[in-house]
Amino acid sequence: MADTRRFEGYGVLVTGAAQGIGAATVRRFAEEGAHVLVTDIDPAAAETTAAALREQGMAAGAFGCDVADRVSVEAAVAHAVDTLGSLDVLVNNAYHCSPDAPLFEDEPDDNWARDLDITLTGAYRCSRAALPHLAASGRGAVVSIGSVNGLRDFGNHAYSAAKAGLVSLTRTLAGHAAERGVRVNLVAPGTVRTPPWEERAGALDALRGLYPLGRVGEPEDIAAAVAFLASRDAAWITGTTLVVDGGLTAVDSGFRSAWRGRDDT
């Protein structure tokens, strides 16, 4: 459990929060005193996550939200304002990732459109609906969950393009929102131990060696970074991308390994 209560009295809405990074994020905010709204396209799963927090004495509610639908997004934001008392933090976590076709020319339009609509346009819809309330709070913050895929090539054309778009949206929205007292930042995780990886036995162990810090990330690693950027500890930070990837994009492990193994004789 977090050591501080930085978010006492805050209202926090997190999208795609029933599991994985989203669930760890709502828990982190709730542990630090926030009243959180767990939103997810699966309302029952959202309620399960919220109920677990309430059972431990934390303030949490749940609401079904499809970020691909403007009406659903606006209903979730309105519900947050009504039930949380204020909306101080929005975390854009919902995403969709389609597998790549073997050949780029075989990529279907539907996969491209869906990944961008949920991952990028979904964050746009949520931020648009939340911004007036975040501005009214006097301490508003938006934190989006990007990916190292938006910074370098790790495959997944549509998903990566959507995550790169989030980096740009973070900058432009930060410029607009600053004069309204709202900060906008992004966390770009590397590989994180989340439910989708459970279907790929052994993949995380294989990837571990690519990370300079010797492990893949845990959802709590990302939640901690999100909480920092949303807090007053980051009061002079806006429009930035915070890479949380165990050194993956900073260190070329393959090059270093090859260099160490070179034959100088």
Side-chain angles (χ1 to χ4, degrees):
M1 182 172 287
D3 296 329
T4 62
R5 303 280 291 182
R6 291 179 294 183
F7 300 103
E8 196 76 52
Y10 277 58
V12 177
L13 186 159
V14 183
T15 66
Q19 61 180 2
I21 291 171
T25 298
V26 292
R27 173 171 290 277
R28 179 64 184 242
F29 278 108
E31 286 175 347
E32 293 202 37
H35 188 171
V36 299
L37 184 64
V38 181
T39 73
D40 199 274
I41 196 169
D42 184 342
E47 174 54 31
T48 297
T49 298
L53 296 175
R54 292 196 299 270
E55 288 171 3
Q56 297 175 52
M58 289 176 267
F63 196 82
C65 179
D66 178 0
V67 300
D69 182 87
R70 179 172 184 169
V71 173
S72 180
V73 165
E74 291 178 349
V77 169
H79 184 78
V81 174
D82 289 343
T83 60
L84 305 181
S86 66
L87 182 57
D88 304 286
V89 178
L90 167 68
V91 180
N92 291 309
N93 174 65
Y95 75 96
H96 190 270
C97 181
S98 300
D100 285 342
L103 293 175
F104 184 74
E105 56 265 36
D106 294 331
E107 290 287 337
D109 285 358
D110 287 350
N111 284 2
W112 178 272
R114 183 166 177 79
D115 281 16
L116 265 70
D117 192 35
I118 294 175
T119 307
L120 176 57
T121 311
Y124 157 75
R125 291 186 186 100
C126 293
S127 299
R128 178 178 59 189
L131 187 57
H133 305 287
L134 297 171
S137 83
R139 56 190 181 188
V142 177
V143 183
S144 296
I145 307 300
S147 172
V148 294
N149 282 58
L151 308 175
R152 286 178 54 182
D153 172 28
F154 294 101
N156 296 108
H157 303 296
Y159 170 81
S160 298
K163 291 297 191 180
L166 275 178
V167 174
S168 179
L169 177 61
T170 295
R171 289 193 296 262
T172 58
L173 184 55
H176 170 80
E179 62 190 38
R180 302 170 72 177
V182 178
R183 296 180 301 103
V184 185
N185 292 293
L186 180 140
V187 175
T191 307
V192 178
R193 192 185 307 276
T194 54
W197 285 100
E198 295 172 1
E199 303 170 4
R200 303 166 68 177
L204 292 180
D205 286 338
L207 290 171
R208 184 176 59 188
L210 300 177
Y211 284 84
L213 290 183
R215 66 174 178 89
V216 299
E218 300 295 337
E220 292 75 17
D221 294 319
I222 311 308
V226 172
F228 163 68
L229 287 174
S231 76
R232 298 307 298 171
D233 292 334
W236 210 44
I237 299 174
T238 196
T240 197
T241 292
L242 175 59
V243 180
V244 184
D245 70 348
L248 178 68
T249 55
V251 179
D252 189 331
S253 297
F255 180 87
R256 290 172 65 89
S257 178
W259 182 253
R260 287 172 178 159
R262 72 192 189 286
D263 185 356
D264 287 332
T265 60

